[in-house]
Amino acid sequence: MQYRWSLIGGLLLTAATALPVTAETLVSDSGLTHIYGYQFTHYPGDIIEYTTEVNGRRYLGTINVTTVGNSLVRGWFSDRDQGGNLGCTGEVSIQFVGNNRYISVWHVGGTASPYVACPQAGTTARLNMSAYP
């Protein structure tokens, strides 16, 4: 039994040492989405800023971290376009998949305000991303 614990502990230690510890910027393969200050030491309640461009409109937003564990960060996001009349809310998960690569999945729920429209409501986007220091 002690051998199993050592083997599992060693595997966990090896996996943990492969994870980046400094803040990075995640950039989607298309170059249209940037997540700033991303790191594995986030805690529930942390706020992560991001920008994205959809249909030629640039959105500024934040992710409120709700869950962290096993190379995965989940949270609620909210954004607004630079004109201020479009914006969306929803849930996002960011998964480290190895070799400086991440996958983020955005479930767009709708809008937080009756005065703001969300053209992407009800959609899901899966973005392949890379990390840059």
Side-chain angles (χ1 to χ4, degrees):
M1 187 66 162
Q2 187 175 15
Y3 174 75
R4 277 190 189 168
W5 183 86
S6 297
L7 179 62
I8 291 172
L11 290 174
L12 290 175
L13 182 59
T14 302
T17 57
L19 301 175
V21 293
T22 59
E24 300 175 315
T25 297
L26 304 184
V27 179
S28 65
D29 288 352
S30 68
L32 298 177
T33 300
H34 294 75
I35 300 173
Y36 304 100
Y38 185 84
Q39 56 191 10
F40 282 99
T41 56
H42 282 296
Y43 296 98
D46 284 355
I47 303 296
I48 305 170
E49 295 182 352
Y50 71 93
T51 59
T52 190
E53 188 174 320
V54 179
N55 297 327
R57 288 185 178 262
R58 187 172 169 87
Y59 291 79
L60 309 172
T62 58
I63 299 168
N64 185 345
V65 176
T66 57
T67 308
V68 179
N70 294 330
S71 305
L72 177 71
V73 171
R74 289 182 193 242
W76 296 101
F77 71 87
S78 178
D79 60 31
R80 279 250 174 125
D81 75 329
Q82 290 181 323
N85 52 357
L86 297 177
C88 297
T89 62
E91 185 180 15
V92 62
S93 62
I94 305 165
Q95 177 77 49
F96 176 70
V97 293
N99 201 21
N100 236 19
R101 299 289 292 168
Y102 296 77
I103 295 173
S104 65
V105 179
W106 304 74
H107 299 285
V108 183
T111 181
S113 168
Y115 307 106
V116 178
C118 177
Q120 295 82 25
T123 63
T124 298
R126 181 182 188 273
L127 305 178
N128 296 314
M129 307 186 86
S130 295
Y132 297 92

